[in-house]
């Protein structure tokens, strides 16, 4: 496969109603000062986790191709070891601990059933570790502790976690401070989402009534409380280094294409779940743009450095700003995408216009720099097709 630079930039404009998607340690919706104005913010970590959870909803992704991040690696390994070899729970746990302790330095933390740090891995990688001992598991389990430790010390346990990465490890990477050899460079970068306009934190005062309270008692509530919220049109951005993704997946072109499709769909459709039962904030984006590049990723948040101030809707003005920023980066910086595919409604051009002549100008701007509007499946297909040609280029 070609090692020439290939990136997919993902630009999303999404309006959410009153919500608290991602809160700080005091329970307030996260915020940031940008362009001199207070903005709503959703951390990249929150949206990456939402994306990983969205993977599990995609019927085309085999769950065995996904990873898990946990301190309970020994527990999971022991359970799969017992199921495959017939060892009882105690013997399987002892053997699992021995396998993990030497080469991976995974030892119990504050809780006996948990390791000292989180590890991000795939179940297929655990199965590969089990494969090292499956045919002699009973023999190993019968050894004394010292003999068991010495016997498994030379097994290439660490190597099983360096290959065969699940999709989400290949995308989001892995960092193990104590074992640099286990680190995986992330192929996807996700920015903190910011509102394109100023926001103010508001408070919802709520009460709960005791249904069984007799009518002759006082009419007071059984509980009162408050929850903070904002509403916002967010600019979301992520970029995918396709060459790095392919490297993380062993330069398997089919696996790289599958992972690319999975990421594009999951990132666009995902939503953090903070206070979701209180606000039911699940919306769909107003604009989604995929830009394939061979030079560098381009975050278009600069389009909103000057906050949008409007009493007649925000999203349409934001769409025009995004198109203008893509034009600017192309015309002034000579950084032009190889291809662009977008999901949006051309009626945004009219909504952002004050006069009829502006509508035509906006329409031309949107179609020139966002491309003709299409559905999400078509936009993903077009983007993957543009990348596929670069997959097969000869160096």
């Amino acid at each position: 496969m070609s090692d020439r630079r290939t990136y997919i930039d993902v630009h999303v404009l999404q309006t959410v109603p009153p919500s608290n998607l991602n809160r700080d340690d005091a329970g307030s919706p996260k915020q940031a000062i940008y362009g001199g104005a207070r903005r709503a913010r959703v951390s990249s970590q929150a949206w990456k986790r939402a994306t990983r959870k969205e993977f599990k909803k995609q019927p085309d992704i085999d769950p065995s191709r996904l990873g898990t991040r946990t301190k309970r690696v020994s527990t999971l390994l022991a359970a799969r070891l017992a199921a495959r070899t017939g060892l009882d729970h105690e013997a399987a746990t002892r053997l699992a601990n021995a396998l993990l302790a030497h080469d991976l330095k995974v030892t119990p933390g504050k809780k006996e059933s948990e390791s000292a740090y989180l590890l991000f891995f795939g179940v297929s990688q655990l199965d590969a570790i089990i494969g090292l001992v499956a045919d002699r598991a009973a023999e190993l389990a019968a050894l004394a502790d010292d003999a068991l430790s010495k016997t498994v010390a030379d097994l290439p346990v660490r190597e099983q976690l360096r290959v065969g990465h699940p999709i989400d490890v290949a995308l989001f990477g892995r960092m193990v401070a104590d074992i640099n050899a286990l680190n995986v460079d992330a192929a996807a970068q996700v920015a903190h989402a910011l509102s394109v306009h100023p926001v103010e934190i508001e408070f919802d005062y709520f009460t709960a009534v005791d249904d069984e309270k007799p009518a002759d008692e006082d009419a007071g509530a059984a509980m009162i409380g408050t929850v903070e919220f904002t509403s916002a049109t967010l600019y979301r951005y992520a970029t995918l280094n396709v060459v790095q993704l392919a490297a993380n997946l062993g330069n398997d072109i089919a696996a790289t294409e599958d992972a690319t499709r999975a990421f594009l769909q999951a990132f666009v459709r995902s939503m953090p779940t903070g206070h979701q039962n209180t606000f039911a904030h699940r919306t769909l984006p107003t604009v989604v743009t995929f830009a394939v590049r061979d030079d560098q990723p381009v975050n278009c948040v600069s389009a909103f450095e000057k906050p949008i101030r409007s009493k007649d809707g925000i999203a349409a003005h934001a769409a025009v700003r995004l198109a203008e920023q893509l034009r600017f980066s192309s015309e002034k910086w000579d950084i032009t995408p190889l291809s662009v595919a977008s999901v949006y409604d051309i009626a945004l051009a009219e909504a952002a216009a004050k006069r009829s002549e502006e509508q035509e100008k906006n329409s031309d701007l949107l179609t020139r720099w966002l491309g003709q509007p299409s559905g999400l499946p078509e936009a993903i297909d077009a983007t993957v097709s543009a990348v596929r040609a670069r997959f097969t280029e000869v160096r």
Side-chain angles (χ1 to χ4, degrees):
M1 136 167 216
S2 171
D3 60 359
R4 294 176 63 189
R5 292 176 295 182
T6 305
Y7 307 98
I8 303 175
D9 285 347
V10 185
H11 308 278
V12 180
L13 293 171
Q14 186 162 6
T15 299
V16 291
S19 55
N20 189 338
L21 305 183
N22 183 211
R23 54 189 182 271
D24 63 20
D25 57 348
S28 300
K30 288 186 177 180
Q31 308 164 60
I33 301 297
Y34 182 66
R38 186 174 302 279
R39 313 294 184 98
R41 176 174 68 90
V42 181
S43 73
S44 58
Q45 295 91 331
W47 230 300
K48 281 191 281 189
R49 176 157 176 78
T51 300
R52 287 184 55 223
K53 291 172 69 176
E54 191 68 27
F55 286 150
K56 298 177 181 179
K57 302 176 184 178
Q58 295 187 22
D60 294 337
I61 300 180
D62 186 332
S64 67
R65 299 178 67 187
L66 297 176
T68 186
R69 184 175 58 191
T70 181
K71 289 185 174 183
R72 296 169 175 81
V73 56
S74 179
T75 302
L76 292 177
L77 180 60
R80 298 182 76 85
L81 188 58
R84 182 166 169 181
T85 65
L87 291 177
D88 61 36
H89 173 74
E90 182 178 352
T93 299
R94 182 168 166 268
L95 180 52
N97 287 338
L99 286 167
L100 297 172
H102 177 74
D103 213 16
L104 297 181
K105 302 178 183 179
V106 173
T107 55
K110 293 181 180 180
K111 295 182 179 180
E112 187 67 24
S113 62
E114 297 182 357
S115 60
Y117 58 83
L118 287 165
L119 188 62
F120 196 10
F121 57 89
V123 292
S124 61
Q125 293 174 316
L126 289 189
D127 290 340
I129 293 173
I130 294 171
L132 299 175
V133 298
D135 60 347
R136 53 183 180 137
E139 173 191 338
L140 292 171
L143 295 174
D145 289 346
D146 288 346
L148 176 59
S149 296
K150 290 179 181 178
T151 303
V152 302
D154 294 331
L155 294 176
V157 174
R158 183 181 301 184
E159 289 305 310
Q160 311 314 307
L161 294 184
R162 298 185 64 186
V163 296
H165 297 306
I167 287 174
D168 35 4
V169 172
L171 284 164
F172 298 121
R174 177 175 64 209
M175 197 278 283
V176 180
D178 295 337
I179 310 176
N180 289 338
L182 291 183
N183 291 346
V184 178
D185 290 336
Q189 301 173 1
V190 179
H192 289 232
L194 288 178
S195 67
V196 302
H197 53 87
V199 298
E200 294 182 2
I201 301 295
E202 300 181 70
F203 293 82
D204 177 35
Y205 172 84
F206 64 87
T207 65
V209 177
D210 186 338
D211 292 341
E212 301 300 325
K213 194 173 190 178
D216 58 352
E217 288 191 17
D218 68 89
M223 186 190 79
I224 60 173
T226 59
V227 60
E228 297 177 56
F229 67 90
T230 59
S231 58
T233 295
L234 299 169
Y235 170 67
R236 300 167 48 202
Y237 171 77
T239 187
L240 178 61
N241 182 335
V242 181
V243 173
Q244 182 65 57
L245 178 61
N248 291 349
L249 293 171
N251 286 320
D252 183 326
I253 294 177
T256 301
E257 183 174 319
D258 289 346
T260 298
R261 286 183 178 277
F263 175 71
L264 296 182
Q265 175 148 288
F267 180 71
V268 167
R269 295 177 64 91
S270 61
M271 175 66 73
T273 57
H275 280 295
Q276 65 177 1
N277 291 342
T278 301
F279 294 107
H281 54 254
R282 190 87 188 217
T283 62
L284 294 173
T286 301
V287 176
V288 173
T289 294
F290 304 125
V292 178
R293 298 182 176 277
D294 64 354
D295 36 39
Q296 68 172 68
V298 179
N299 184 329
C300 287
V301 71
S302 299
F304 312 108
E305 192 273 341
K306 180 180 179 181
I308 296 174
R309 301 178 188 273
S310 172
K311 295 182 178 180
D312 191 27
I314 298 288
H317 297 286
V320 171
R321 289 268 197 101
L322 175 60
E324 289 174 338
Q325 186 65 27
L326 288 168
R327 179 181 64 184
F328 174 80
S329 64
S330 178
E331 294 180 350
K332 302 300 182 182
W333 288 91
D334 194 26
I335 300 176
T336 303
L338 298 175
S339 71
V340 175
S342 298
V343 182
Y344 67 97
D345 187 341
I346 196 62
L348 292 171
E350 179 181 359
K354 295 181 179 179
R355 297 179 298 275
S356 58
E357 58 269 24
E358 284 187 350
Q359 179 180 340
E360 183 176 353
K361 176 184 175 183
N362 289 344
S363 180
D364 290 343
L365 182 71
L366 293 178
T367 54
R368 169 66 180 87
W369 296 103
L370 302 188
Q372 292 291 336
S374 67
L376 181 61
E378 292 77 18
I380 291 177
D381 284 346
T383 301
V384 172
S385 294
V387 170
R388 187 184 299 119
R390 297 183 65 78
F391 283 176
T392 55
E393 285 179 352
V394 178
R395 299 183 188 183

